[in-house]
Each structure stands twice: as C-alpha cells, then as structure tokens.
Amino acid sequence: HPEWSRNAVIYEVNLRQYTEGGTVKEFEGQLQRLKELGVDILWFMPVHPISQDGRKGELGSYYAVQDYTAFNPEFGTIDEFKDVVKKAHSLGMKVILDWVPNHTGRDNRWVTEHPDWYVKDAAGNIVSPSGWSDVAQLNFANADMRAAMKDAMLFWVEQLGIDGYRCDYADGVPHDFWSDVITALRAKNSDMIMLAETANPDYYADGFDMIYDWNSSTTISAAFNG
C-alpha cells in the first residue's frame, strides 16, 4: 500500500451541498481549512453529469452516471476541478473519485451506442439492478465494455492527476476486472489508492488497499447503543 495512505484521514466531499452555490470553485476556497483540520484524502462523490431518464426526484442520484468522462456542469467546469486537484496536491492532500462501475444512468450514451454492453431480460429490455429503476446494469461478459470502462478510469488519472478511486458496489463487478484495471491504473501512478465498497477481504487480492469494515462498525454501534 502507498506509504502516504497509512493512518490517513479520508474526508467525503458532497459538492452539491457543500457550499451555498454547490460549485467546485466555491469548494476550492475550503481547501486550506480542510488541510488545517487534518484531512489527508479528499473523496469526491461522483462528479459526472446525472442522467435525466428515470431521475429520482428533482436532483437525481449521483450514482446514475450519464457520461463517465464528463464533469457535471452543475458544479462548474472540468478545468476548475483540475485546478482543485492541483491545489489539493500543493497542500499535501490526495484526491480520489467515487466511481460507479456496476451500472450507468439510463440515458448514458452507451445505452444507444452499445446496447450489447448491458444485461437484458428475456424480452430484450435492459435490466435495472437491485430494483434501482434510474440505472442500467452493465454486462461484464462484454470485453469491449470492460475496455471502455478501464479507459474512462484512466482518463481521470491521466488528464486530471487524481490519486485513486472509491469504487461503489465493488461486489457487483467481477474480480478479474478489478485486478486488470488496478494494474493498468498503477502503471500510470504507482501510488494510486483504491478503496472498495465491500466487506469482503477477497478484494485485497485484486489490488485494493482498503475495504469497508461494516461488521466491526455494526458491532461497535450495537455495543454503544445497546
């Protein structure tokens, strides 16, 4: 694991609700304060445009990704986000992105351009995983889809210099995809940090540095609240 990640403090950033305007430019003004609070890693919730098709509520879910290589215009521009990454680095902080690999939004361009990249039911309709009606289940049996997903993850490392990913619903994605993509990411940045949203320690073998210890969390909470 990267030496800098040991005992590091991870701070989750919800851009939309963080400042009055909800922009990345406004958030930039908070970086010094967060550094002084002892933050080492900034974990940004998904920064991609949010799908309109099947949108949940007025704002929609961050986890219904419309375009993996675009920045949500509600937050500002991708160049402004790049400036935030650079300033965070200048202050000694790392930046990781929340990544949603198991599914896309229902109007992601992949739906129309590559419908074979999705899981379908017997009637030929794209499946929504776990009853999440605003998203579409990706088909990891498709090699082209896997390659496109890897390229999208490499984009943010190569173009913006991010330091890793927090991978949403890692359990929904095959182990061999993770080992392949993490190898590719670390070829670009050997100090990448990877956090899997899972309690399964098998994901360490794929190259992840951290997982969620929900079992201990539940036990500790029960002890204090019981």
Side-chain angles (χ1 to χ4, degrees), residues 87-130:
K87 184 170 182 179
H89 286 166
S90 73
L91 293 170
M93 292 186 286
K94 304 293 186 178
V95 175
I96 65 174
L97 289 188
D98 208 324
W99 195 261
V100 190
N102 179 70
H103 47 264
T104 72
R106 299 196 66 85
D107 57 7
N108 188 295
R109 62 185 177 86
W110 289 0
V111 172
T112 53
E113 294 177 8
H114 305 285
D116 56 319
W117 290 6
Y118 292 85
V119 176
K120 298 178 182 178
D121 61 21
N125 300 309
I126 293 176
V127 171
S128 292
S130 302

Side-chain angles (χ1 to χ4, degrees), residues 132-145:
W132 303 328
S133 60
D134 59 334
V135 295
Q137 176 69 57
L138 286 164
N139 177 15
F140 276 85
N142 189 297
D144 290 337
M145 187 282 291

Side-chain angles (χ1 to χ4, degrees), residues 50-62:
I50 298 170
S51 285
Q52 295 287 337
D53 187 4
R55 175 173 281 213
K56 298 287 189 180
E58 183 179 341
L59 297 176
S61 167
Y62 287 140

Side-chain angles (χ1 to χ4, degrees), residues 99-206:
W99 195 261
V100 190
N102 179 70
H103 47 264
T104 72
R106 299 196 66 85
D107 57 7
N108 188 295
R109 62 185 177 86
W110 289 0
V111 172
T112 53
E113 294 177 8
H114 305 285
D116 56 319
W117 290 6
Y118 292 85
V119 176
K120 298 178 182 178
D121 61 21
N125 300 309
I126 293 176
V127 171
S128 292
S130 302
W132 303 328
S133 60
D134 59 334
V135 295
Q137 176 69 57
L138 286 164
N139 177 15
F140 276 85
N142 189 297
D144 290 337
M145 187 282 291
R146 285 181 176 230
M149 181 68 71
K150 179 165 67 174
D151 286 346
M153 295 182 77
L154 285 166
F155 170 86
W156 295 91
V157 176
E158 294 171 340
Q159 300 301 317
L160 281 87
I162 69 160
D163 305 289
Y165 288 101
R166 178 266 186 189
C167 297
D168 180 70
Y169 188 35
D171 293 293
V173 175
H175 286 281
D176 62 331
F177 173 79
W178 287 129
S179 59
D180 176 53
V181 76
I182 291 172
T183 298
L185 290 168
R186 291 218 165 100
K188 299 295 181 182
N189 179 353
S190 60
D191 274 347
M192 289 281 293
I193 190 167
M194 298 295 290
L195 167 59
E197 188 201 12
T198 179
N200 184 350
D202 291 346
Y203 284 82
Y204 286 127
D206 300 334

